[in-house]
Amino acid sequence: MLSRLADALWSVPAAYAGARGGSGDEPSFIIQLVPFFAVFAIIYFIMIRPQQKRQQETRAMLSALRVGDSVIASGIFGEITKIKDDILHIKVADNVRIRVLRSAVSGRPAAAEAESGGSPDKSQTKA
C-alpha cells in the first residue's frame, strides 16, 4: 500500500511535466511580457506625462515673468516691481514690498481678479 502511494506521488509530477512540456501549450516569452508593457503604458499616460506637461508649463510661466505682472507667491497676491536674477521684489500693498524666490511663484491670478484686486466690480453690484 505504501509503495502504491509513493508511485502515485512520483507519477503525478512526471505526468504534469510531460503534458505541459511536450504539448506546446505554453505562451511565448513575448506574449507573457505584453501585460507588463500595457501596465507601463497606462501608468505613463495617466501619471508621468501629465506631470511633465505641468512642469513644462510652470517653467514657461516662471521664465516669462516681467515687471508689472500680478502674481501669487506662497499664497500672497502682489505685483512684481523688480527682478534681479532669481529674486523677485513684489509689491503687496502701499509701501509694503517683499522679496521672494522666482520658484515661490505658484501662478498668476485670473484676469478679473487681477483687475479688480479680488473684490467684485462696482458696476456689477449696481445691476
Side-chain angles (χ1 to χ4, degrees):
M1 172 121 169
L2 205 51
S3 64
R4 283 188 192 165
L5 182 62
D7 289 340
L9 289 175
W10 284 108
S11 64
V12 170
Y16 181 76
R20 296 258 321 173
S23 67
D25 290 335
E26 292 183 24
S28 70
F29 182 70
I30 300 296
I31 293 175
Q32 290 177 352
L33 290 180
V34 169
F36 293 109
F37 290 130
V39 168
F40 178 75
I42 290 169
I43 289 173
Y44 177 77
F45 285 110
I46 290 177
M47 296 173 60
I48 298 171
R49 190 164 181 243
Q51 180 64 27
Q52 288 176 344
K53 285 182 79 173
R54 279 192 296 270
Q55 287 177 345
Q56 184 179 7
E57 290 170 359
T58 302
R59 273 188 252 120
M61 185 268 303
L62 290 176
S63 65
L65 291 176
R66 302 288 176 246
V67 173
D69 288 348
S70 295
V71 294
I72 303 170
S74 300
I76 300 171
F77 288 78
E79 182 179 326
I80 298 174
T81 58
K82 183 179 175 184
I83 299 175
K84 185 175 182 182
D85 296 327
D86 281 341
I87 298 175
L88 306 175
H89 295 254
I90 299 177
K91 178 182 175 186
V92 179
D94 294 332
N95 297 324
V96 179
R97 288 174 176 71
I98 60 173
R99 294 183 306 161
V100 296
L101 288 173
R102 186 181 294 259
S103 61
V105 174
S106 58
R108 295 181 179 173
E113 290 180 7
E115 292 176 0
S116 65
S119 61
D121 192 9
K122 293 178 181 170
S123 64
Q124 291 176 352
T125 56
K126 292 180 182 178

